[in-house]
Amino acid sequence: TLKRSRYPKSEILVVNNGSTDDSAQFLKENYPEVRVIEIKKNRGYAGANNLGVKKARGKYVLLLNNDTQVTPNFLEPLVERIEKDSTVGAIQPQIRLMSNKNLIDSIGSFFTFTGFLYHYGYSQNQLQKQYNNPLFMYSVKGACFLTRKSLIDKIGLFDKSYFAYFEETDFCHRVWLAGFKVKYIPTAQMFHLGGVNKEVSPIIV
């Protein structure tokens, strides 16, 4: 789906994070324009993305999981908003469930007084008004978000001690501490498979 993106100028890097199948070779043979970075041992979400970002040459970096599908114009609203507002350090689209594309997977998370995250809008219908306005969030979801390369150079990306999960929240916490904001934009939309796709009520995790 990235090949159908209408964004005029971008590079695609795929970090082959210690996989043992033929996926890296498949990419090289069928998508020669994609830069494949191979790692022999699985470094987790944090380690693999850290390596990929070091190789990235763009002004902005979009982190995207491999169990996602993007819409053709999902990237433009993200870039336009972060270009217009110098205070935004990280920005995410409306991420919907692959199993039911009318339901929200993530529009970001709030930090609660308990210390847990509240995943706002999870499993709710995306047509509801409150989910179709730009919002400031405490944290993005790592499945898909855009950030500034200059900000990564300043504060670092992911703490590799977070092998999987909460590494993006730790990053967003440092984004806020550095004087930047985290934002959600509903006009940018994509879909995420995820590990579980049961339709449940909103939860705090």
Side-chain angles (χ1 to χ4, degrees):
T1 57
L2 279 172
K3 284 183 68 68
R4 296 198 291 270
S5 171
R6 295 174 185 155
Y7 194 77
K9 188 177 182 181
S10 62
E11 63 174 352
I12 301 175
L13 290 80
V14 173
V15 181
N16 185 39
N17 195 18
S19 67
T20 56
D21 59 16
D22 63 347
S23 53
Q25 189 61 34
F26 177 86
L27 285 171
K28 291 175 183 178
E29 292 176 359
N30 295 278
Y31 301 93
E33 71 278 11
V34 173
R35 294 171 61 196
V36 180
I37 303 166
E38 297 197 61
I39 306 175
K40 292 183 180 180
K41 183 180 179 180
N42 188 332
R43 298 188 187 180
Y45 176 87
N49 277 288
N50 284 345
L51 180 61
V53 166
K54 285 182 180 178
K55 306 287 185 180
R57 297 174 294 209
K59 181 179 179 182
Y60 302 109
V61 176
L62 178 87
L63 280 76
L64 185 69
N65 280 12
N66 62 346
D67 60 339
T68 57
Q69 292 179 349
V70 299
T71 55
N73 60 348
F74 87 108
L75 194 51
E76 285 88 338
L78 299 174
V79 176
E80 287 173 4
R81 184 54 61 98
I82 205 169
E83 276 275 293
K84 289 179 179 178
D85 190 345
S86 61
T87 68
V88 175
I91 189 168
Q92 84 155 66
Q94 184 180 92
I95 304 175
R96 297 190 217 153
L97 294 172
M98 195 91 73
S99 59
N100 186 334
K101 294 185 177 181
N102 289 317
L103 298 183
I104 292 169
D105 176 45
S106 173
I107 61 175
S109 302
F110 290 116
F111 191 67
T112 71
F113 72 94
T114 65
F116 288 92
L117 297 177
Y118 177 69
H119 303 306
Y120 186 62
Y122 177 71
S123 198
Q124 299 300 296
N125 192 298
Q126 57 90 16
L127 293 176
Q128 294 183 58
K129 185 178 179 180
Q130 65 265 39
Y131 307 129
N132 285 279
N133 295 309
L135 297 169
F136 288 111
M137 290 289 179
Y138 171 67
S139 176
V140 298
K141 181 165 184 170
C144 181
F145 72 94
L146 185 80
T147 188
R148 302 174 186 273
K149 186 67 159 56
S150 60
L151 183 57
I152 293 173
D153 292 340
K154 180 180 179 181
I155 68 172
L157 185 57
F158 297 137
D159 183 337
K160 63 182 180 181
S161 63
Y162 293 92
F163 183 81
Y165 303 113
F166 296 108
E167 59 287 290
E168 76 270 51
T169 303
D170 175 74
F171 171 72
C172 286
H173 187 76
R174 287 181 279 116
V175 168
W176 283 103
L177 290 177
F180 292 86
K181 299 174 182 178
V182 177
K183 197 156 194 179
Y184 154 71
I185 296 295
T187 50
Q189 299 165 356
M190 47 86 67
F191 308 100
H192 182 219
L193 181 62
V196 177
N197 277 298
K198 295 179 180 178
E199 296 178 17
V200 295
S201 59
I203 55 173
I204 296 177
V205 177

